[in-house]
């Protein structure tokens, strides 16, 4: 009998000495019905005797009175398991207790489900977020940091981002003064305050797997193509505080009770009893105190003439804080004696106390100033007063309301009612020269790492398998692929050109089945995830009634007359526009990604304006000839070029991050650029269209099983096959094992002829499929062709 051992968390379990001990292992590369679903190894229904040793290791989980009191509930949770046969570690992964079987009140068996290979890291990483991966990143936000980032090439762990220009839902230069009385803003200068980082996809993968001790094995990931891929900032406000740790410094206070009545003669700072402990109010960090100003002390929760906000710990370096005062007033002036006028004035005093120097700077905001000599006047209203301060740690901002009432002589009346509806920190913003710490960006907690993995797999037809012994995960496009526009320049994918001859391994005493695969819709549509917040995307898609970036492959007639969508599970389409405001610099309008919400007027929140479904883009570097631009008041001839599709001449040889082919170039020089479908999916689709699936048995051994990746093609009966699954391998029974393989076939002209939108449609732009495309179009073209439009909008399409 072979030597078998099963080990959980380093402790060896007792197993049945019978030769029928059921260690059976299944392997599957992917779901044959849905190749988006990646699989791994598993051993379902592993049965163990309930010996005293096993009861101890498994915490007697047959007994409902025994509770798992360990900190992480390790006994009833997912546990590490490995299985060995004659020194071969044939299974490594996770085990989940499932059943305890008793007879006569005595436990006799335990049953567990075990999941190996990819499951070894999928289970551990299911809660990992981009926040966990990126929170260590820190830098000073200034011009040098931005300019230095333009050297990004994905090779340097200390530079996992690039500040390339992207048009967001605001002016490029929001502070530009267009003239007295006119709204601020201009697109002729890209302000440093508009910059946001695009995040390296490579380093997200690297740090994600490294967090649990895994390393990535991938020729594709090492290409310049992949290392320059980035995710443009789409996670809410960047310099502003919404959904960040800076919000701990926020507070909201108001007047306690009704309006406060004042009818004295003279001038004074008034106590409006502003408190932060009332219903609906808050003070996240005990930052607000009040009282008569002493420089540091005051009444907790408020009350008094001074409303004092202090930049308490935790500190995040210099911050801009926008203070907001909503002050309601109602005053009555009545003058029955013309000898002296009756008047009132209302002012708001702001003070900024510098903690390091003690210097106090005063700012005065005049709210009301009124006077009458006879008669009566009554006014009421609500004034919202904002003031921005740049504060350093421990600085204080003091707000005081000054009221002057002068009733003149005689029986005149002069009174005023005041109420603070809101006294608050409207928002915080990191100033130029401030500190950026990704640890503050809580919005990144919503971005799951495994969702990024899934979306990336959907972009590039990735297959993923794991060597759990050496803690290595292999990630490659499933088949040979092209990263240029030349379909003949192919790189090796997950399945290699190495061949294993299994002719002598086949157990011909068992039945084998050759199946013609047809369990799929005839039309297979590849598309990105929808983004309802992307205003430019919506405008273009509504105009042409199309799905931007979508491509389609049509299988032969044996498949169902249906349409199936392959939707990316993370990334959405990326829109671009031509920046005509910069065209005069070199005569070329540079192309820029735009991320703007559908209706800015309905999204006053900075976070709402800058939250989108994530996009994928390629950073080409500083490019001469792509157009000039103005950054922070300086003109540059080299352009930090970020795009999903480079529509400029020559862009067909750049990465095209679109499932459809794209129309590249200018009028008269258009070329077709091959999209993701043709560069990464054609070989898979050719194999699916051919559809020969073989189920047969092989005499496998432990060496075959610990070939964790199964990348080689299998030679059998003069044909080449790809191994899809192994069903029920037993290391001790000496029986053959059922395997499923699919026949490899080369890509032919058929793939080109049945991929849409067709070149005719692309070169014509937005052709309606219910019309004849050209006189030379085939009947298939007329039935299956798609409308096409570039992922590029007009400047007027951008909501403002």
């Amino acid at each position: 009998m072979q030597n078998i051992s099963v080990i959980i968390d380093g402790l060896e379990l007792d197993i049945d000495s019978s030769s029928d001990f059921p260690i059976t292992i299944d392997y599957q590369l992917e779901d044959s019905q849905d190749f988006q679903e990646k699989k791994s190894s598993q051993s379902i229904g592993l049965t163990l005797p309930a010996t005293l040793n096993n009861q101890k290791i498994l915490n007697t989980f047959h007994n409902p009175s025994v509770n798992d009191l360990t900190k992480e509930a390790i006994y009833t949770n997912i546990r590490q398991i490995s299985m060995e046969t004659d020194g071969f570690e044939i299974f490594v992964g996770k085990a989940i207790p499932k059943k305890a079987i008793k007879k006569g009140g005595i436990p006799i068996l335990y049953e567990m489900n075990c999941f190996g290979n990819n499951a070894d890291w999928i289970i551990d990483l299911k809660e990992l977020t981009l926040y966990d991966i990126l929170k260590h990143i820190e830098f000073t936000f200034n011009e040098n940091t931005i300019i230095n980032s333009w050297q990004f090439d994905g090779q340097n762990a200390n530079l996992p981002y690039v500040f390339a220009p992207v048009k967001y839902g605001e002016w490029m230069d929001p502070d530009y003064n267009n003239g007295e009385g006119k709204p601020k803003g201009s697109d002729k200068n890209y302000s440093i305050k508009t910059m946001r980082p695009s995040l390296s996809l490579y380093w997200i993968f690297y740090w994600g797997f490294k967090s649990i001790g895994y390393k990535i094995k991938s020729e594709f990931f090492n290409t310049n193509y992949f290392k320059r891929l980035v995710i443009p900032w789409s996670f809410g406000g960047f310099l502003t505080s919404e959904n960040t740790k800076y919000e701990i410094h926020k507070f909201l206070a108001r007047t306690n009770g009704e309006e406060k009545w004042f009818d004295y003669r003279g001038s004074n700072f008034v106590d409006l009893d502003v408190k932060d402990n009332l219903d609906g109010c808050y003070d996240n960090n005990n930052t607000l105190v009040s009282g008569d100003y002493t420089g540091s002390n005051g009444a907790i929760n408020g009350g008094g003439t001074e409303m004092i906000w202090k930049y308490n710990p935790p500190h995040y370096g210099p911050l801009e804080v926008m203070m907001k005062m909503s002050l309601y007033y109602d005053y009555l002036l009545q003058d029955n004696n013309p000898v002296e006028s009756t008047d009132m004035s209302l002012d708001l005093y702001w003070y900024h106390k510098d903690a390091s120097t003690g210097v106090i700077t005063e700012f005065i905001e005049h709210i009301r100033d009124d006077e009458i000599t006879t008669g009566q006047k009554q006014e009421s209203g609500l004034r919202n007063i904002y003031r921005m301060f740049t504060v350093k740690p421990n600085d204080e901002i003091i707000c005081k309301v000054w009221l002057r009432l002068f009733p003149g002589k005689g029986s005149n009346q002069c009174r005023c009612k005041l109420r603070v509806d809101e006294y608050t920190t409207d928002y915080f913003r990191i100033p130029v020269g401030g500190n950026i710490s990704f640890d503050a960006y809580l919005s990144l907690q919503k971005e799951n790492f495994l969702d990024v993995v899934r979306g990336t797999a959907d972009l590039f037809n990735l297959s993923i398998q794991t060597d759990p012994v050496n803690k290595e995960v292999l990630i490659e496009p499933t088949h040979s692929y092209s990263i240029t526009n030349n379909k003949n320049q192919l790189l090796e994918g997950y399945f290699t050109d190495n061949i294993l001859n299994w002719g002598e391994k086949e157990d011909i005493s068992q039945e084998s089945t050759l199946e013609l695969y047809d369990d799929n819709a005839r039309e297979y549509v590849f598309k990105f995830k929808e983004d309802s917040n992307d205003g430019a995307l919506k405008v273009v898609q509504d105009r042409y009634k199309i799905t931007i970036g979508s491509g389609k492959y049509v299988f032969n007639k044996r498949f169902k007359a249906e349409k199936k969508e392959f939707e990316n599970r993370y990334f959405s389409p990326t829109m671009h526009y031509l920046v005509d405001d910069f065209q005069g610099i070199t005569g070329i309008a540079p192309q820029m990604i735009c991320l703007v919400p559908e209706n800015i007027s309905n999204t006053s929140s900075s976070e709402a304006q800058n939250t989108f479904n994530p996009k994928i883009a390629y950073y080409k570097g500083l490019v001469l000839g792509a157009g000039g631009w103005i950054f922070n008041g300086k003109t540059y001839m080299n352009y930090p070029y970020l795009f999903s599709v480079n529509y400029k001449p020559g862009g067909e040889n750049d990465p095209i991050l679109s499932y459809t082919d794209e129309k590249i170039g200018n009028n008269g020089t258009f070329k077709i650029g091959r999209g993701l479908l043709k560069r990464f999916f054609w070989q898979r689709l050719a194999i699916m269209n051919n559809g020969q699936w073989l189920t047969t048995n092989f005499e496998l051994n432990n060496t075959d099983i610990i070939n964790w990746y199964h990348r080689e093609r299998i030679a059998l009966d003069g044909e080449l096959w790809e191994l899809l699954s192994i069903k029920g391998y037993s290391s001790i029974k000496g029986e053959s094992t059922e395997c499923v393989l699919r026949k490899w076939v080369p890509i032919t002209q058929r793939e080109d002829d049945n991929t849409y939108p067709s070149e005719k449609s692309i070169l014509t732009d937005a052709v309606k499929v219910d019309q004849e495309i050209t006189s030379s179009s085939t009947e298939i073209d007329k039935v299956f062709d798609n409308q096409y439009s570039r992922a590029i909008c007009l400047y007027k399409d951008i909501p403002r």
Side-chain angles (χ1 to χ4, degrees):
M1 177 181 173
Q2 292 174 303
N3 182 26
I4 305 170
S5 61
V6 178
I7 299 168
I8 287 185
D9 293 337
L11 303 172
E12 186 170 352
L13 292 161
D14 295 331
I15 61 174
D16 195 330
S17 60
S18 165
S19 61
D20 290 332
F21 175 64
I23 292 184
T24 59
I25 297 173
D26 293 337
Y27 162 85
Q28 192 169 354
L29 177 68
E30 61 193 30
D31 191 314
S32 61
Q33 306 303 315
D34 183 0
F35 60 78
Q36 281 183 299
E37 295 296 322
K38 304 304 178 182
K39 299 291 185 177
S40 60
S41 298
Q42 64 183 27
S43 181
I44 303 298
L46 175 64
T47 304
L48 302 164
T51 63
L52 291 176
N53 179 56
N54 289 352
Q55 290 184 45
K56 179 180 178 182
I57 295 173
L58 300 176
N59 199 37
T60 59
F61 81 91
H62 62 273
N63 187 345
S65 299
V66 176
N67 296 319
D68 186 354
L69 300 179
T70 59
K71 184 177 180 180
E72 301 293 335
I74 61 172
Y75 293 112
T76 54
N77 218 321
I78 299 166
R79 304 181 69 179
Q80 193 72 31
I81 190 170
S82 64
M83 305 178 194
E84 297 180 6
T85 301
D86 285 345
F88 290 95
E89 202 164 17
I90 60 172
F91 189 94
V92 176
K94 308 295 183 184
I96 302 175
K98 294 298 293 182
K99 294 180 182 178
I101 301 170
K102 294 192 288 187
K103 187 174 183 180
I106 300 173
I108 57 173
L109 293 173
Y110 292 135
E111 188 174 302
M112 309 185 76
N113 287 343
C114 307
F115 303 91
N117 296 85
N118 291 342
D120 193 51
W121 54 265
I122 288 176
I123 291 172
D124 284 345
L125 293 177
K126 64 181 180 180
E127 303 295 334
L128 189 74
T129 66
L130 292 193
Y131 175 80
D132 301 317
I133 294 170
L134 302 173
K135 63 183 179 181
H136 68 280
I137 297 176
E138 294 182 346
F139 52 82
T140 301
F141 182 70
N142 58 25
E143 186 173 319
N144 284 339
T145 296
I146 290 172
I147 292 173
N148 291 338
S149 80
W150 297 340
Q151 302 303 317
F152 169 86
D153 59 7
Q155 303 287 343
N156 186 352
N158 295 318
L159 187 59
Y161 54 82
V162 59
F163 282 90
V166 172
K167 172 69 172 174
Y168 285 95
E170 58 186 326
W171 294 105
M172 291 185 193
D173 186 356
D175 296 328
Y176 179 80
N177 193 341
N178 284 296
E180 192 67 32
K182 296 182 180 179
K184 286 185 177 181
S186 170
D187 279 339
K188 298 182 182 297
N189 171 57
Y190 202 112
S191 167
I192 187 173
K193 295 180 180 180
T194 311
M195 278 289 183
R196 294 159 177 79
S198 297
L199 308 177
S200 168
L201 184 62
Y202 173 85
W203 289 108
I204 288 172
F205 267 81
Y206 178 89
W207 286 322
F209 282 102
K210 184 182 179 182
S211 70
I212 57 167
Y214 267 93
K215 59 183 178 181
I216 297 173
K217 179 180 180 180
S218 176
E219 293 299 322
F220 176 56
F221 276 32
N222 287 330
T223 62
N224 190 55
Y225 179 109
F226 190 86
K227 284 199 170 182
R228 285 183 173 269
L229 295 178
V230 293
I231 303 175
W233 188 266
S234 56
F235 312 108
F238 178 63
L239 295 180
T240 51
S241 61
E242 291 173 297
N243 209 7
T244 70
K245 285 188 175 181
Y246 308 135
E247 298 220 315
I248 194 174
H249 296 297
K250 291 193 72 172
F251 75 91
L252 172 62
R254 59 178 170 81
T255 293
N256 183 19
E258 300 298 322
E259 297 93 346
K260 305 305 175 185
W261 178 288
F262 302 96
D263 58 359
Y264 59 83
R265 175 188 291 268
S267 304
N268 213 339
F269 289 110
V270 294
D271 180 0
L272 299 183
D273 198 17
V274 176
K275 295 188 174 182
D276 59 28
N277 61 347
L278 308 176
D279 288 346
C281 297
Y282 60 88
D283 190 349
N284 294 337
N285 196 36
N286 297 320
T287 56
L288 178 68
V289 297
S290 297
D292 292 324
Y293 184 65
T294 62
S296 60
N297 298 317
I300 296 174
N301 298 325
T305 61
E306 285 126 357
M307 294 163 274
I308 309 163
W309 175 85
K310 184 177 180 181
Y311 185 10
N312 285 334
H315 297 137
Y316 300 100
L319 287 178
E320 291 179 348
V321 53
M322 178 66 80
M323 304 296 291
K324 176 185 178 184
M325 167 64 77
S326 293
L327 183 64
Y328 171 80
Y329 58 87
D330 181 347
Y331 65 87
L332 173 67
L333 302 180
Q334 188 180 66
D335 197 321
N336 299 314
N337 187 337
V339 175
E340 284 187 345
S341 62
T342 297
D343 66 88
M344 66 81 64
S345 57
L346 181 63
D347 299 293
L348 197 66
Y349 281 67
W350 297 99
Y351 302 91
H352 177 197
K353 182 180 180 184
D354 189 307
S356 59
T357 65
V359 173
I360 299 175
T361 307
E362 179 183 78
F363 307 90
I364 302 175
E365 182 85 25
H366 298 291
I367 300 174
R368 297 296 301 181
D369 194 352
D370 218 337
E371 179 181 10
I372 64 171
T373 55
T374 58
Q376 177 176 305
K377 183 174 185 180
Q378 185 170 4
E379 292 282 348
S380 64
L382 180 70
R383 278 287 302 274
N384 291 319
I385 303 104
Y386 296 87
R387 180 162 287 275
M388 176 74 79
F389 298 91
T390 299
V391 294
K392 301 187 296 297
N394 300 311
D395 281 7
E396 294 177 354
I397 304 298
I398 304 97
C399 184
K400 302 171 72 172
V401 177
W402 186 87
L403 178 64
R404 179 182 185 275
L405 297 174
F406 187 77
K409 287 188 176 182
S411 59
N412 295 344
Q413 288 190 52
C414 184
R415 60 91 176 153
C416 183
K417 292 190 289 185
L418 297 172
R419 182 185 71 236
V420 173
D421 285 351
E422 274 192 337
Y423 179 51
T424 185
T425 44
D426 191 52
Y427 65 85
F428 298 93
R429 186 170 63 195
I430 299 169
V432 175
N435 302 329
I436 296 290
S437 172
F438 275 57
D439 182 60
Y441 292 104
L442 302 181
S443 61
L444 295 173
Q445 293 176 345
K446 302 174 186 176
E447 306 298 322
N448 187 277
F449 171 67
L450 291 182
D451 288 341
V452 181
V453 174
R454 295 182 184 104
T456 307
D458 294 344
L459 287 174
F460 306 115
N461 185 29
L462 298 181
S463 283
I464 305 173
Q465 274 299 346
T466 303
D467 177 352
V469 175
N470 295 307
K471 295 292 183 182
E472 189 173 71
V473 57
L474 173 71
I475 308 176
E476 297 287 4
T478 304
H479 297 99
S480 54
Y481 59 95
S482 171
I483 56 177
T484 70
N485 208 43
N486 188 339
K487 63 183 178 182
N488 296 316
Q489 291 181 351
L490 298 179
L491 301 175
E492 191 172 69
Y494 181 91
F495 286 106
T496 70
D497 291 330
N498 296 333
I499 296 173
L500 296 178
N501 191 332
W502 278 14
E504 295 183 359
K505 285 180 177 285
E506 187 177 16
D507 183 0
I508 59 175
S509 68
Q510 301 292 323
E511 287 185 356
S512 65
T513 304
L514 183 63
E515 177 184 2
L516 196 58
Y517 173 74
D518 62 359
D519 192 13
N520 192 20
R522 188 177 183 197
E523 297 179 60
Y524 214 121
V525 178
F526 293 76
K527 58 179 287 190
F528 287 94
K529 192 173 185 177
E530 290 296 324
D531 189 350
S532 60
N533 195 36
D534 192 326
L537 174 67
K538 185 178 188 304
V539 167
V540 175
Q541 291 195 147
D542 287 352
R543 176 184 296 149
Y544 297 117
K545 294 180 173 55
I546 61 170
T547 302
I548 288 288
S550 174
K552 178 167 63 177
Y553 180 83
V554 179
F555 293 95
N556 65 37
K557 291 183 178 181
R558 77 168 183 276
F559 290 87
K560 300 174 186 176
E562 298 172 356
K563 183 181 293 185
K564 181 177 180 180
E565 290 187 343
F566 173 97
E567 183 177 80
N568 192 287
R569 289 169 287 180
Y570 190 68
F571 295 106
S572 59
T574 307
M575 295 300 295
H576 313 75
Y577 84 110
L578 300 179
V579 191
D580 291 334
D581 285 303
F582 293 149
Q583 183 167 356
I585 298 172
T586 66
I588 299 173
Q591 177 185 308
M592 188 182 293
I593 288 175
C594 56
L595 293 176
V596 292
E598 180 180 353
N599 190 336
I600 292 177
S601 63
N602 290 337
T603 53
S604 59
S605 159
S606 174
E607 182 180 2
Q609 285 191 26
N610 295 293
T611 301
F612 301 87
N613 283 336
K615 319 288 182 178
I616 187 69
Y618 177 82
Y619 178 65
K620 191 170 183 177
L622 287 169
V623 177
L624 185 64
W629 69 306
I630 301 174
F631 168 62
N632 221 30
K634 301 174 185 177
T635 301
Y636 293 84
M637 299 301 171
N638 285 340
Y639 182 62
Y641 202 1
L642 182 70
F643 55 82
S644 283
V645 181
N646 176 14
Y647 290 103
K648 299 288 187 177
E652 67 273 11
N653 290 313
D654 288 322
I656 294 180
L657 303 173
S658 166
Y659 290 109
T660 182
D661 287 358
E662 294 284 355
K663 180 179 178 180
I664 307 296
N666 299 323
N667 291 331
T669 59
F670 289 125
K671 292 186 178 180
I672 295 294
R674 299 168 72 242
L676 296 170
L677 198 159
K678 286 185 177 179
R679 294 194 188 191
F680 291 92
F681 288 89
W682 255 8
Q683 180 64 76
R684 173 189 289 282
L685 296 170
I687 290 171
M688 290 173 64
N689 187 65
N690 176 70
Q692 289 176 286
W693 260 236
L694 175 65
T695 302
T696 188
N697 282 52
F698 292 99
E699 302 283 355
L700 301 182
N701 55 43
N702 292 332
T703 304
D704 296 320
I705 295 301
I706 64 172
N707 172 17
W708 304 105
Y709 302 137
H710 303 289
R711 300 182 68 183
E712 302 83 4
R713 292 200 183 96
I714 307 299
L716 189 67
D717 297 331
E719 301 293 342
L720 295 178
W721 306 79
E722 296 172 349
L723 180 64
L724 284 183
S725 67
I726 299 171
K727 299 183 177 181
Y729 171 74
S730 173
S731 64
I732 60 176
K733 290 186 176 181
E735 299 174 351
S736 60
T737 305
E738 181 181 302
C739 298
V740 178
L741 307 94
R742 62 187 175 199
K743 183 180 174 182
W744 180 88
V745 296
I747 296 171
T748 66
Q749 182 61 36
R750 189 198 181 284
E751 275 59 65
D752 210 343
D753 294 340
N754 288 275
T755 301
Y756 300 97
S758 67
E759 291 191 8
K760 299 183 185 73
S761 179
I762 291 170
L763 291 176
T764 315
D765 263 350
V767 175
K768 294 183 178 180
V769 295
D770 59 351
Q771 296 178 348
E772 185 173 359
I773 298 165
T774 68
S775 58
S776 61
S777 298
T778 65
E779 290 302 318
I780 290 179
D781 284 339
K782 296 173 186 178
V783 172
F784 293 114
D785 213 348
N786 290 3
Q787 285 180 268
Y788 166 82
S789 177
R790 292 175 167 189
I792 195 164
C793 66
L794 304 174
Y795 183 74
K796 66 180 181 180
D797 293 332
I798 298 175
R800 182 166 286 107

